[in-house]
Amino acid sequence: QMQLQESGPGLVKPSETLTLTCNVSGGSIDGSTNYWAWIRQPPGKGLEWLGSIYYSGSPYYNPSLKSRITISVDTSKNQFSLSLTSMTATDTAVYYCVASERFWGQGTLVTVSS
Amino acid sequence: IQMTQSPSSLSASVGDRVTITCRASQAINTYLNWFHQKAGKAPKLLINDASILEAGVPSRFSGSGSGTYFTFTISSLQPEDLGTYYCQQDDTLPWTFGQGTRVEIK
């Protein structure tokens, strides 16, 4: 059974860059047909897909994030990462890493505040 | 693609049949998933490709539809079914979710 675990800061200052990492266990990030995604959920609100990547392909991003987002894969560590620049209060959310919509991390709350 | 769920919330008794609808702003074939989220937890995939039940998901859950109109049904509501249900299309990027349907137990 594949398991995912997010790690990163719980508090980010406005204008800073958020970097989250998702550790994948129970499966190889480069040995499967899974795609790896980041989804977030502002407190009390719905779900927003941020972007996805296959280990061997190009990432796909939500246009709403314009050029702020980068998703990458590190096969040596069996991890994938999210980078989101120019953080504002509207980016406050629980961030989930997801494998093929089927396996989800527990989520990590990121608060943007000075 | 905009996904619109109905109703936004509902309250039903244990044993009731519950149906949620999801409409897509354009045709998405059957590229439609249903998730269940309990408070404070990550969403769980219940149904993919509009009608395919995920392994281990109870058979009281079902889904149907194609194109722009989809339904999700719980044939006999159980106490553990409370929470919020989301539809999601993965036909066209960016993938998008419905706003959610909150299910409460009377």
Side-chain angles (χ1 to χ4, degrees):
Chain A
Q1 179 82 347
M2 186 174 295
Q3 293 185 321
L4 289 77
Q5 177 67 57
E6 306 89 352
S7 60
L11 180 64
V12 176
K13 289 183 169 58
S15 80
E16 289 188 341
T17 296
L18 169 69
T19 300
L20 295 176
T21 298
C22 182
N23 187 67
V24 179
S25 59
S28 175
I29 203 165
D30 64 355
S32 71
T33 58
N34 284 321
Y35 50 87
W36 314 98
W38 289 94
I39 291 170
R40 70 181 179 182
Q41 185 172 36
K45 296 188 177 180
L47 300 161
E48 178 184 25
W49 173 82
L50 304 182
S52 299
I53 187 170
Y54 287 91
Y55 87 92
S56 61
S58 299
Y60 300 94
Y61 300 134
N62 193 322
S64 69
L65 299 170
K66 298 180 181 177
S67 58
R68 298 174 52 209
I69 185 173
T70 303
I71 295 176
S72 60
V73 171
D74 186 337
T75 56
S76 66
K77 295 181 180 179
N78 220 41
Q79 295 175 338
F80 65 105
S81 298
L82 167 72
S83 176
L84 194 59
T85 63
S86 304
M87 294 285 283
T88 70
T90 58
D91 294 311
T92 294
V94 175
Y95 287 74
Y96 295 101
C97 60
V98 184
S100 299
E101 298 154 325
R102 184 166 285 113
F103 304 103
W104 292 62
Q106 64 184 24
T108 185
L109 174 62
V110 176
T111 302
V112 182
S113 175
S114 56
Chain B
I1 298 176
Q2 184 173 350
M3 308 300 292
T4 304
Q5 287 181 234
S6 181
S8 297
S9 64
L10 65 90
S11 181
S13 299
V14 172
D16 282 354
R17 184 181 184 88
V18 169
T19 298
I20 300 168
T21 64
C22 180
R23 291 182 184 271
S25 60
Q26 64 188 68
I28 57 171
N29 200 338
T30 58
Y31 293 104
L32 192 283
N33 303 311
W34 289 98
F35 295 87
H36 176 214
Q37 185 177 34
K38 295 183 178 180
K41 300 294 187 182
K44 176 185 176 183
L45 180 64
L46 300 179
I47 290 173
N48 73 84
D49 204 29
S51 62
I52 300 175
L53 210 61
E54 284 288 293
V57 174
S59 59
R60 65 179 180 274
F61 297 102
S62 64
S64 65
S66 67
T68 62
Y69 184 76
F70 302 85
T71 61
F72 172 83
T73 299
I74 307 173
S75 61
S76 177
L77 189 68
Q78 299 301 303
E80 60 267 30
D81 298 338
L82 85 165
T84 303
Y85 292 82
Y86 294 94
C87 62
Q88 178 230 5
Q89 67 83 18
D90 55 4
D91 174 81
T92 302
L93 293 172
W95 297 338
T96 45
F97 292 85
Q99 81 278 16
T101 296
R102 180 170 293 182
V103 174
E104 298 178 342
I105 308 294
K106 280 183 183 177

